[in-house]
Structures are given as structure tokens and as C-alpha cells.
Amino acid sequence: MVTTTIREIDNTQNDPRQRTELITGGNTFTTVTEKVCSIVEDPKTSQTWFVMLGASLSFLGVLGLMIAYLFWTGVGVWGVNNPVGWGFAIINFVFWVGIGHAGTLISAILFLFRQKWRTSINRFAEAMTIFAVMCAGIFPGIHIGRPWLAFYLFPYPNAMQMWPNFRSPLLWDVFAVSTYATVSVMFWYVGMIPDLATLRDRAKHPIRKFSYGLLSLGWRGSHRHWHRHEVAYLLLAALATPLVLSVHSVVSFDFAVAQLPGWHTTIFPPYFVAGAIFGGFAMVLTLIIPTRHFLNLKEIITLRHIENMNKVLLFTSCIVGYAYSVEFFMAWYSADKFELFTFLNRAMGPYYWAYFIMIFCNVIAPQVLWFKYCRTNILITFIVANCVNVGMWFERFVIVVTSLSRDFLPSSWDMYYPTMVDILTFAGSFGLFFTCFLLFLRFLPAIAMAEVKTVLPGSHLEHGHHRGAGDYHGDVPEAHKED
């Protein structure tokens, strides 16, 4: 992998007289191709990558052991009890599904809004989405107690005449998450085809040439191929956009349709969607900051990209903070004593520490991003992003545990304490996530080269927008000749 250190260039100025460069360092179409492909083509893999992969595989092994132990012993090894029947498993499921939101948001919605700064980060975000949804899918599967009967969730004709309960939001989750995962994989793969063809054309080893040739589906870069590609990409973006809103809305229904105080509220769908985008952007920043440093991609993923993402983080933080306030207001305004007790219990009950970690990480810490110095400071950004990651996990902990542990009857109250199996299973899910992410960095194009080239000076953006089905490909044919 590349070892040369590249200095940071500040391209966050807003001069109305000229377009700010999204890609710095005087890069051309050729240098972008060289920098991105060299990550995959370099025969010498860095020791840092091996160390990180080894650590990730260790955690992945822990995940496998914990799941095997769970299947062998039963869910009694978890800390769940009566009344807290949803413990770490559902908390982790909602956490990972939320992280998976930002990928499709960056790829699809920002694409439809013609936000060209997305081109340097969309491939990261799409990959993150897929790996996060993979992690999310584990927890409902192992939470059902008898995972070998998980196929009962799917409606299919069977001899026992058994059908799922279509009125249950838990069943809606199955369809929503599986649809989201399928469309996200297709969107990721279709966008990657031109870059896979570039790797195929540059490959020297026959196995690499065959592998990338197979994945690139015979791409030749003709006008007809670009046209079909742009139309397919645009259609998938249009299909994926409503899924961004629907998936976490459906997940929020798992709580909102229940009669439990603290859950039974109409604010949950928009509140969950905003929180998911918030947490997803924080995870993208957590991944991108070390990646751009170790792979020397600072000229492609620039300070402007970091600042723009910080602005989204700040905006969604304000929405989440507003939602926390509205929940308290509505609990008081409803005059429902159970509802009011639940929210007071969150802030002053036995789990107050989790509530205030959530408030600090999700509402207070991101407020430093009002200042440009903080938005363009890599260390501060990394700290804030990780604060948000922690805060969003605790948000799900607060929602699930505080409402279940103290419901209507004090006689049924009980405390929830996670066991070591709970904690190791959650830590192991990060092993799966980072193992997939590191393999993605090493063997697939981490940057969307074809899309990045459309924002280079050679694409003549200074003369205004170009037309094109996707507004990214095929509108600068003279520029592609340079490559």
C-alpha cells in the first residue's frame, strides 16, 4: 500500500467568485486512478492492515463462540429477564440498522440532489451500510430462542397451515430490512462496475484479471454501456430513497405500536430516522478519518468533505435534541401519570447515568461543530464522531431498558444487568463489521473513481452543470480521453 505522507490542504473557503476544488493536490484523471488502484494492486500489504485484520478476526471469532455457546445453552446466558425481555440483542439490532442508514442517504438522496461532494465518500458509506445490515441481521435471528425455526417468519405454504402474524411490526422488520439490504447491495455493486473494469484492465495476474473481469460484467465503457449504467443507477437511487425513510420507521414501529409508557408515541418514526442518519454519519466519519490517513487519500477525501459531513452531523444532532425535549413535553402535556413517570424515571431513575451519557454524547458534544475550527479539525471531529457512536447506542439502551424495567405495576419491576456473553457478543459484532470493511479496502476500489473524475477541473464544472442521465457519467467525453 502507499506509504508517502500527504499534507492536509484546506479547501473549505467559500469564495463566490470561483468554484472550490473538491479534489486538491492538482490531481488529474490519471493520478486519481493510480492512487485508488494502487491500494488494491500493491503486492506489499501494510503491517497496519494485517494487525487490524488480526484484531478484527479475533473479535469475529469471539462472536462465533458466543453464538455457539448461546445455541448450545439457550438465551438464559443473557441478562434478559421478566420484565426486560429485550436486552442487548434488540439494542444492538436497532443500533446497527441505524448505522446502515447513512450509506443509502449519501449514495441515493445526495445523488438525486446533485450533491457532488458525495463522490469521494459514497463508496465507503455504501460498503458500511451493507456490513452494518449484516451485523444487524444476526441479532433478531439469535434472539428468537429457537433459530432453527427462523424460517417461520417467512410466509410460505406449509403442511401445518401456519402463517406469520402480518399485523406484527416484528414481521414488517423482516421485509423492510431484507428489502433494504437487497437494494443497497445492488446499488453498491452497480455503481462499482466501471471501477471494477478499470482494475480488470490494469490487472497483470491472470486470477485477478479473471476475477475483476467476471465482476465487471464485460464492461467496455461504450456510450451504450454508460447510458444503461446511468439509467440503472438513477432508478436504483430513486428506489433506495424511500427505503431510507421506511426501514427505520418500521423499526420504530416495534416500539411505537406497543402500549408501554415511553414507547407508545407517534414521534418515533421521524425521531428514529433522524437518529439513524445522525449515527450513520458519525460512523462514516469514524471510518473515513483513519482510512484517509493510512491510505494517503487526503487529496481525494478533503477537509471540505469532512466539514460538510460535520454540518450534517450538527443538523441531525439538533433534530435529535429537539425530539428528546418534545418527548418530555408530550409526557407532561398528556397528563398521563404513567407516561410522565417513565420519562422522569429515565432522567432520575436507576439508569440515569445511561440517560445523561446519551444527552452528553448526542446533544452537547456535537455543539462544538458550530465553530468552523472544530468542523475542520480532524482530531476534534474524530472525538465527536465517536461520542455520537457511543451516545446512539445508549439511546437505544435507554429506550429499551428503562421502559421495560419499570412498567405499570411496581410489583413487576426488575433491574436489567447484561452478562459477559451479552457484552462479548456485541463486541464480536464489531469484529464482523471491521473484518468485512478491511477486506473491502484491500480488494475493491474504495473510492468511486469514475464519479470523482467528474468533479475534477478537467471536467469543466467551472462552465456550469452538464446534462446527463445521472449528471455524473458521460457528460465529459473529452475528459475521459485523457485517461
Side-chain angles (χ1 to χ4, degrees), residues 448-479:
M449 291 181 282
E451 297 190 47
V452 165
K453 290 172 186 175
T454 65
V455 300
L456 289 173
S459 62
H460 306 301
L461 281 177
E462 64 274 17
H463 298 311
H465 290 283
H466 297 262
R467 287 186 58 79
D471 204 19
Y472 286 122
H473 312 301
D475 53 353
V476 283
E478 72 282 359

PDB file of all heavy atoms in Angstrom, residues 448-479:
ATOM      1  N   ALA A 448     -15.011   5.857  -5.506  1.00  0.00           N
ATOM      2  CA  ALA A 448     -15.711   5.763  -6.792  1.00  0.00           C
ATOM      3  C   ALA A 448     -14.954   6.601  -7.827  1.00  0.00           C
ATOM      4  O   ALA A 448     -15.256   7.778  -8.035  1.00  0.00           O
ATOM      5  CB  ALA A 448     -17.148   6.234  -6.641  1.00  0.00           C
ATOM      6  N   MET A 449     -13.973   5.986  -8.470  1.00  0.00           N
ATOM      7  CA  MET A 449     -13.077   6.726  -9.377  1.00  0.00           C
ATOM      8  C   MET A 449     -13.845   7.426 -10.492  1.00  0.00           C
ATOM      9  O   MET A 449     -13.597   8.602 -10.793  1.00  0.00           O
ATOM     10  CB  MET A 449     -12.057   5.759  -9.992  1.00  0.00           C
ATOM     11  CG  MET A 449     -11.045   5.209  -9.023  1.00  0.00           C
ATOM     12  SD  MET A 449      -9.877   4.120  -9.855  1.00  0.00           S
ATOM     13  CE  MET A 449     -10.836   2.625 -10.027  1.00  0.00           C
ATOM     14  N   ALA A 450     -14.765   6.701 -11.109  1.00  0.00           N
ATOM     15  CA  ALA A 450     -15.488   7.273 -12.249  1.00  0.00           C
ATOM     16  C   ALA A 450     -16.282   8.512 -11.830  1.00  0.00           C
ATOM     17  O   ALA A 450     -16.396   9.480 -12.599  1.00  0.00           O
ATOM     18  CB  ALA A 450     -16.429   6.233 -12.843  1.00  0.00           C
ATOM     19  N   GLU A 451     -16.798   8.498 -10.610  1.00  0.00           N
ATOM     20  CA  GLU A 451     -17.587   9.644 -10.155  1.00  0.00           C
ATOM     21  C   GLU A 451     -16.690  10.783  -9.685  1.00  0.00           C
ATOM     22  O   GLU A 451     -16.999  11.959  -9.898  1.00  0.00           O
ATOM     23  CB  GLU A 451     -18.534   9.204  -9.039  1.00  0.00           C
ATOM     24  CG  GLU A 451     -19.543   8.170  -9.490  1.00  0.00           C
ATOM     25  CD  GLU A 451     -20.617   7.931  -8.450  1.00  0.00           C
ATOM     26  OE1 GLU A 451     -21.142   8.917  -7.931  1.00  0.00           O
ATOM     27  OE2 GLU A 451     -20.922   6.765  -8.179  1.00  0.00           O
ATOM     28  N   VAL A 452     -15.578  10.458  -9.048  1.00  0.00           N
ATOM     29  CA  VAL A 452     -14.657  11.505  -8.589  1.00  0.00           C
ATOM     30  C   VAL A 452     -14.115  12.297  -9.775  1.00  0.00           C
ATOM     31  O   VAL A 452     -13.946  13.517  -9.709  1.00  0.00           O
ATOM     32  CB  VAL A 452     -13.507  10.876  -7.768  1.00  0.00           C
ATOM     33  CG1 VAL A 452     -12.363  11.859  -7.593  1.00  0.00           C
ATOM     34  CG2 VAL A 452     -14.012  10.427  -6.407  1.00  0.00           C
ATOM     35  N   LYS A 453     -13.867  11.626 -10.892  1.00  0.00           N
ATOM     36  CA  LYS A 453     -13.292  12.312 -12.057  1.00  0.00           C
ATOM     37  C   LYS A 453     -14.225  13.397 -12.603  1.00  0.00           C
ATOM     38  O   LYS A 453     -13.790  14.333 -13.256  1.00  0.00           O
ATOM     39  CB  LYS A 453     -12.978  11.290 -13.149  1.00  0.00           C
ATOM     40  CG  LYS A 453     -11.807  10.389 -12.784  1.00  0.00           C
ATOM     41  CD  LYS A 453     -11.644   9.273 -13.788  1.00  0.00           C
ATOM     42  CE  LYS A 453     -10.556   8.312 -13.321  1.00  0.00           C
ATOM     43  NZ  LYS A 453     -10.440   7.138 -14.199  1.00  0.00           N
ATOM     44  N   THR A 454     -15.512  13.255 -12.330  1.00  0.00           N
ATOM     45  CA  THR A 454     -16.450  14.251 -12.849  1.00  0.00           C
ATOM     46  C   THR A 454     -16.426  15.561 -12.067  1.00  0.00           C
ATOM     47  O   THR A 454     -17.064  16.527 -12.463  1.00  0.00           O
ATOM     48  CB  THR A 454     -17.896  13.702 -12.845  1.00  0.00           C
ATOM     49  OG1 THR A 454     -18.285  13.480 -11.495  1.00  0.00           O
ATOM     50  CG2 THR A 454     -18.000  12.422 -13.628  1.00  0.00           C
ATOM     51  N   VAL A 455     -15.732  15.589 -10.937  1.00  0.00           N
ATOM     52  CA  VAL A 455     -15.632  16.844 -10.179  1.00  0.00           C
ATOM     53  C   VAL A 455     -14.228  17.428 -10.261  1.00  0.00           C
ATOM     54  O   VAL A 455     -13.916  18.396  -9.574  1.00  0.00           O
ATOM     55  CB  VAL A 455     -16.033  16.651  -8.693  1.00  0.00           C
ATOM     56  CG1 VAL A 455     -17.454  16.170  -8.583  1.00  0.00           C
ATOM     57  CG2 VAL A 455     -15.093  15.680  -7.985  1.00  0.00           C
ATOM     58  N   LEU A 456     -13.373  16.847 -11.097  1.00  0.00           N
ATOM     59  CA  LEU A 456     -12.030  17.397 -11.289  1.00  0.00           C
ATOM     60  C   LEU A 456     -12.095  18.610 -12.217  1.00  0.00           C
ATOM     61  O   LEU A 456     -13.045  18.761 -12.996  1.00  0.00           O
ATOM     62  CB  LEU A 456     -11.123  16.327 -11.896  1.00  0.00           C
ATOM     63  CG  LEU A 456     -10.743  15.167 -10.972  1.00  0.00           C
ATOM     64  CD1 LEU A 456      -9.984  14.104 -11.747  1.00  0.00           C
ATOM     65  CD2 LEU A 456      -9.896  15.674  -9.809  1.00  0.00           C
ATOM     66  N   PRO A 457     -11.084  19.483 -12.161  1.00  0.00           N
ATOM     67  CA  PRO A 457     -11.090  20.650 -13.050  1.00  0.00           C
ATOM     68  C   PRO A 457     -11.222  20.269 -14.521  1.00  0.00           C
ATOM     69  O   PRO A 457     -11.837  20.983 -15.309  1.00  0.00           O
ATOM     70  CB  PRO A 457      -9.738  21.303 -12.751  1.00  0.00           C
ATOM     71  CG  PRO A 457      -9.424  20.900 -11.353  1.00  0.00           C
ATOM     72  CD  PRO A 457      -9.964  19.511 -11.199  1.00  0.00           C
ATOM     73  N   GLY A 458     -10.695  19.126 -14.917  1.00  0.00           N
ATOM     74  CA  GLY A 458     -10.759  18.706 -16.313  1.00  0.00           C
ATOM     75  C   GLY A 458     -12.153  18.419 -16.800  1.00  0.00           C
ATOM     76  O   GLY A 458     -12.405  18.334 -18.005  1.00  0.00           O
ATOM     77  N   SER A 459     -13.107  18.273 -15.884  1.00  0.00           N
ATOM     78  CA  SER A 459     -14.482  18.020 -16.304  1.00  0.00           C
ATOM     79  C   SER A 459     -15.230  19.310 -16.609  1.00  0.00           C
ATOM     80  O   SER A 459     -16.400  19.282 -16.973  1.00  0.00           O
ATOM     81  CB  SER A 459     -15.228  17.242 -15.219  1.00  0.00           C
ATOM     82  OG  SER A 459     -15.279  18.004 -14.029  1.00  0.00           O
ATOM     83  N   HIS A 460     -14.532  20.463 -16.440  1.00  0.00           N
ATOM     84  CA  HIS A 460     -15.066  21.772 -16.826  1.00  0.00           C
ATOM     85  C   HIS A 460     -16.339  22.146 -16.070  1.00  0.00           C
ATOM     86  O   HIS A 460     -17.274  22.690 -16.643  1.00  0.00           O
ATOM     87  CB  HIS A 460     -15.323  21.837 -18.330  1.00  0.00           C
ATOM     88  CG  HIS A 460     -14.117  21.465 -19.135  1.00  0.00           C
ATOM     89  ND1 HIS A 460     -12.924  22.149 -19.042  1.00  0.00           N
ATOM     90  CD2 HIS A 460     -13.912  20.472 -20.029  1.00  0.00           C
ATOM     91  CE1 HIS A 460     -12.034  21.582 -19.854  1.00  0.00           C
ATOM     92  NE2 HIS A 460     -12.611  20.563 -20.465  1.00  0.00           N
ATOM     93  N   LEU A 461     -16.364  21.845 -14.777  1.00  0.00           N
ATOM     94  CA  LEU A 461     -17.513  22.256 -13.975  1.00  0.00           C
ATOM     95  C   LEU A 461     -17.601  23.769 -13.846  1.00  0.00           C
ATOM     96  O   LEU A 461     -18.640  24.316 -13.515  1.00  0.00           O
ATOM     97  CB  LEU A 461     -17.423  21.637 -12.579  1.00  0.00           C
ATOM     98  CG  LEU A 461     -17.842  20.175 -12.473  1.00  0.00           C
ATOM     99  CD1 LEU A 461     -17.619  19.684 -11.051  1.00  0.00           C
ATOM    100  CD2 LEU A 461     -19.280  20.000 -12.873  1.00  0.00           C
ATOM    101  N   GLU A 462     -16.442  24.449 -14.065  1.00  0.00           N
ATOM    102  CA  GLU A 462     -16.462  25.902 -13.942  1.00  0.00           C
ATOM    103  C   GLU A 462     -17.361  26.547 -14.997  1.00  0.00           C
ATOM    104  O   GLU A 462     -17.741  27.702 -14.873  1.00  0.00           O
ATOM    105  CB  GLU A 462     -15.047  26.476 -14.059  1.00  0.00           C
ATOM    106  CG  GLU A 462     -14.373  26.270 -15.409  1.00  0.00           C
ATOM    107  CD  GLU A 462     -13.666  24.928 -15.515  1.00  0.00           C
ATOM    108  OE1 GLU A 462     -13.977  24.057 -14.678  1.00  0.00           O
ATOM    109  OE2 GLU A 462     -12.840  24.758 -16.420  1.00  0.00           O
ATOM    110  N   HIS A 463     -17.735  25.781 -16.031  1.00  0.00           N
ATOM    111  CA  HIS A 463     -18.623  26.317 -17.058  1.00  0.00           C
ATOM    112  C   HIS A 463     -20.084  25.978 -16.769  1.00  0.00           C
ATOM    113  O   HIS A 463     -20.935  26.100 -17.636  1.00  0.00           O
ATOM    114  CB  HIS A 463     -18.236  25.757 -18.429  1.00  0.00           C
ATOM    115  CG  HIS A 463     -16.837  26.143 -18.837  1.00  0.00           C
ATOM    116  ND1 HIS A 463     -16.376  27.429 -18.766  1.00  0.00           N
ATOM    117  CD2 HIS A 463     -15.808  25.384 -19.272  1.00  0.00           C
ATOM    118  CE1 HIS A 463     -15.099  27.467 -19.172  1.00  0.00           C
ATOM    119  NE2 HIS A 463     -14.739  26.239 -19.466  1.00  0.00           N
ATOM    120  N   GLY A 464     -20.341  25.488 -15.566  1.00  0.00           N
ATOM    121  CA  GLY A 464     -21.714  25.185 -15.179  1.00  0.00           C
ATOM    122  C   GLY A 464     -21.982  23.693 -15.229  1.00  0.00           C
ATOM    123  O   GLY A 464     -21.115  22.894 -15.575  1.00  0.00           O
ATOM    124  N   HIS A 465     -23.197  23.313 -14.867  1.00  0.00           N
ATOM    125  CA  HIS A 465     -23.569  21.909 -14.811  1.00  0.00           C
ATOM    126  C   HIS A 465     -23.695  21.331 -16.212  1.00  0.00           C
ATOM    127  O   HIS A 465     -24.058  22.009 -17.153  1.00  0.00           O
ATOM    128  CB  HIS A 465     -24.892  21.745 -14.072  1.00  0.00           C
ATOM    129  CG  HIS A 465     -24.762  22.022 -12.610  1.00  0.00           C
ATOM    130  ND1 HIS A 465     -24.208  21.131 -11.740  1.00  0.00           N
ATOM    131  CD2 HIS A 465     -25.087  23.124 -11.892  1.00  0.00           C
ATOM    132  CE1 HIS A 465     -24.226  21.642 -10.515  1.00  0.00           C
ATOM    133  NE2 HIS A 465     -24.741  22.853 -10.588  1.00  0.00           N
ATOM    134  N   HIS A 466     -23.369  20.067 -16.311  1.00  0.00           N
ATOM    135  CA  HIS A 466     -23.562  19.344 -17.556  1.00  0.00           C
ATOM    136  C   HIS A 466     -24.824  18.510 -17.449  1.00  0.00           C
ATOM    137  O   HIS A 466     -25.243  18.155 -16.373  1.00  0.00           O
ATOM    138  CB  HIS A 466     -22.376  18.411 -17.810  1.00  0.00           C
ATOM    139  CG  HIS A 466     -21.079  19.143 -17.976  1.00  0.00           C
ATOM    140  ND1 HIS A 466     -20.537  19.434 -19.188  1.00  0.00           N
ATOM    141  CD2 HIS A 466     -20.231  19.652 -17.053  1.00  0.00           C
ATOM    142  CE1 HIS A 466     -19.386  20.085 -19.021  1.00  0.00           C
ATOM    143  NE2 HIS A 466     -19.188  20.218 -17.729  1.00  0.00           N
ATOM    144  N   ARG A 467     -25.355  18.179 -18.592  1.00  0.00           N
ATOM    145  CA  ARG A 467     -26.520  17.315 -18.572  1.00  0.00           C
ATOM    146  C   ARG A 467     -26.068  15.865 -18.704  1.00  0.00           C
ATOM    147  O   ARG A 467     -25.011  15.558 -19.178  1.00  0.00           O
ATOM    148  CB  ARG A 467     -27.457  17.667 -19.731  1.00  0.00           C
ATOM    149  CG  ARG A 467     -28.200  18.976 -19.519  1.00  0.00           C
ATOM    150  CD  ARG A 467     -29.205  19.191 -20.625  1.00  0.00           C
ATOM    151  NE  ARG A 467     -30.156  18.104 -20.700  1.00  0.00           N
ATOM    152  CZ  ARG A 467     -31.194  17.972 -19.882  1.00  0.00           C
ATOM    153  NH1 ARG A 467     -31.397  18.861 -18.941  1.00  0.00           N
ATOM    154  NH2 ARG A 467     -32.013  16.967 -20.012  1.00  0.00           N
ATOM    155  N   GLY A 468     -26.920  15.005 -18.306  1.00  0.00           N
ATOM    156  CA  GLY A 468     -26.622  13.578 -18.346  1.00  0.00           C
ATOM    157  C   GLY A 468     -27.641  12.891 -17.481  1.00  0.00           C
ATOM    158  O   GLY A 468     -28.151  13.484 -16.545  1.00  0.00           O
ATOM    159  N   ALA A 469     -27.950  11.655 -17.784  1.00  0.00           N
ATOM    160  CA  ALA A 469     -28.994  10.978 -17.020  1.00  0.00           C
ATOM    161  C   ALA A 469     -28.679  10.980 -15.533  1.00  0.00           C
ATOM    162  O   ALA A 469     -29.524  11.215 -14.707  1.00  0.00           O
ATOM    163  CB  ALA A 469     -29.159   9.547 -17.532  1.00  0.00           C
ATOM    164  N   GLY A 470     -27.430  10.690 -15.200  1.00  0.00           N
ATOM    165  CA  GLY A 470     -27.058  10.681 -13.798  1.00  0.00           C
ATOM    166  C   GLY A 470     -26.318  11.932 -13.401  1.00  0.00           C
ATOM    167  O   GLY A 470     -25.988  12.101 -12.247  1.00  0.00           O
ATOM    168  N   ASP A 471     -26.010  12.789 -14.354  1.00  0.00           N
ATOM    169  CA  ASP A 471     -25.272  14.025 -14.112  1.00  0.00           C
ATOM    170  C   ASP A 471     -23.858  13.763 -13.628  1.00  0.00           C
ATOM    171  O   ASP A 471     -23.201  14.637 -13.116  1.00  0.00           O
ATOM    172  CB  ASP A 471     -26.006  14.909 -13.105  1.00  0.00           C
ATOM    173  CG  ASP A 471     -25.605  16.377 -13.265  1.00  0.00           C
ATOM    174  OD1 ASP A 471     -25.073  16.716 -14.345  1.00  0.00           O
ATOM    175  OD2 ASP A 471     -25.806  17.146 -12.340  1.00  0.00           O
ATOM    176  N   TYR A 472     -23.400  12.539 -13.730  1.00  0.00           N
ATOM    177  CA  TYR A 472     -22.041  12.237 -13.308  1.00  0.00           C
ATOM    178  C   TYR A 472     -21.222  11.602 -14.421  1.00  0.00           C
ATOM    179  O   TYR A 472     -20.055  11.849 -14.565  1.00  0.00           O
ATOM    180  CB  TYR A 472     -22.040  11.287 -12.101  1.00  0.00           C
ATOM    181  CG  TYR A 472     -22.435  11.979 -10.838  1.00  0.00           C
ATOM    182  CD1 TYR A 472     -23.512  11.542 -10.100  1.00  0.00           C
ATOM    183  CD2 TYR A 472     -21.732  13.086 -10.402  1.00  0.00           C
ATOM    184  CE1 TYR A 472     -23.875  12.183  -8.931  1.00  0.00           C
ATOM    185  CE2 TYR A 472     -22.084  13.732  -9.242  1.00  0.00           C
ATOM    186  CZ  TYR A 472     -23.149  13.279  -8.515  1.00  0.00           C
ATOM    187  OH  TYR A 472     -23.507  13.907  -7.363  1.00  0.00           O
ATOM    188  N   HIS A 473     -21.854  10.737 -15.218  1.00  0.00           N
ATOM    189  CA  HIS A 473     -21.089   9.998 -16.207  1.00  0.00           C
ATOM    190  C   HIS A 473     -21.488  10.443 -17.615  1.00  0.00           C
ATOM    191  O   HIS A 473     -22.613  10.813 -17.872  1.00  0.00           O
ATOM    192  CB  HIS A 473     -21.367   8.502 -16.088  1.00  0.00           C
ATOM    193  CG  HIS A 473     -21.281   8.004 -14.683  1.00  0.00           C
ATOM    194  ND1 HIS A 473     -20.141   8.131 -13.949  1.00  0.00           N
ATOM    195  CD2 HIS A 473     -22.200   7.405 -13.890  1.00  0.00           C
ATOM    196  CE1 HIS A 473     -20.347   7.603 -12.746  1.00  0.00           C
ATOM    197  NE2 HIS A 473     -21.590   7.175 -12.688  1.00  0.00           N
ATOM    198  N   GLY A 474     -20.548  10.345 -18.509  1.00  0.00           N
ATOM    199  CA  GLY A 474     -20.853  10.519 -19.910  1.00  0.00           C
ATOM    200  C   GLY A 474     -21.033  11.943 -20.357  1.00  0.00           C
ATOM    201  O   GLY A 474     -21.221  12.204 -21.544  1.00  0.00           O
ATOM    202  N   ASP A 475     -20.956  12.914 -19.445  1.00  0.00           N
ATOM    203  CA  ASP A 475     -21.168  14.289 -19.850  1.00  0.00           C
ATOM    204  C   ASP A 475     -19.860  15.005 -20.127  1.00  0.00           C
ATOM    205  O   ASP A 475     -19.852  16.169 -20.480  1.00  0.00           O
ATOM    206  CB  ASP A 475     -21.967  15.048 -18.787  1.00  0.00           C
ATOM    207  CG  ASP A 475     -21.356  14.929 -17.408  1.00  0.00           C
ATOM    208  OD1 ASP A 475     -20.401  14.165 -17.271  1.00  0.00           O
ATOM    209  OD2 ASP A 475     -21.852  15.608 -16.494  1.00  0.00           O
ATOM    210  N   VAL A 476     -18.731  14.334 -19.933  1.00  0.00           N
ATOM    211  CA  VAL A 476     -17.436  14.948 -20.209  1.00  0.00           C
ATOM    212  C   VAL A 476     -16.588  13.975 -21.040  1.00  0.00           C
ATOM    213  O   VAL A 476     -15.529  13.550 -20.631  1.00  0.00           O
ATOM    214  CB  VAL A 476     -16.699  15.316 -18.906  1.00  0.00           C
ATOM    215  CG1 VAL A 476     -17.288  16.565 -18.293  1.00  0.00           C
ATOM    216  CG2 VAL A 476     -16.751  14.175 -17.910  1.00  0.00           C
ATOM    217  N   PRO A 477     -17.068  13.630 -22.249  1.00  0.00           N
ATOM    218  CA  PRO A 477     -16.359  12.598 -23.024  1.00  0.00           C
ATOM    219  C   PRO A 477     -14.926  13.001 -23.348  1.00  0.00           C
ATOM    220  O   PRO A 477     -14.035  12.157 -23.388  1.00  0.00           O
ATOM    221  CB  PRO A 477     -17.202  12.462 -24.296  1.00  0.00           C
ATOM    222  CG  PRO A 477     -17.996  13.730 -24.361  1.00  0.00           C
ATOM    223  CD  PRO A 477     -18.228  14.141 -22.957  1.00  0.00           C
ATOM    224  N   GLU A 478     -14.701  14.307 -23.585  1.00  0.00           N
ATOM    225  CA  GLU A 478     -13.334  14.711 -23.920  1.00  0.00           C
ATOM    226  C   GLU A 478     -12.395  14.516 -22.748  1.00  0.00           C
ATOM    227  O   GLU A 478     -11.209  14.265 -22.910  1.00  0.00           O
ATOM    228  CB  GLU A 478     -13.314  16.168 -24.393  1.00  0.00           C
ATOM    229  CG  GLU A 478     -13.541  17.213 -23.304  1.00  0.00           C
ATOM    230  CD  GLU A 478     -14.996  17.342 -22.937  1.00  0.00           C
ATOM    231  OE1 GLU A 478     -15.825  16.638 -23.531  1.00  0.00           O
ATOM    232  OE2 GLU A 478     -15.318  18.154 -22.067  1.00  0.00           O
ATOM    233  N   ALA A 479     -12.932  14.606 -21.522  1.00  0.00           N
ATOM    234  CA  ALA A 479     -12.086  14.434 -20.343  1.00  0.00           C
ATOM    235  C   ALA A 479     -11.653  12.987 -20.192  1.00  0.00           C
ATOM    236  O   ALA A 479     -10.526  12.701 -19.810  1.00  0.00           O
ATOM    237  CB  ALA A 479     -12.844  14.887 -19.101  1.00  0.00           C
TER     238      ALA A 479
END
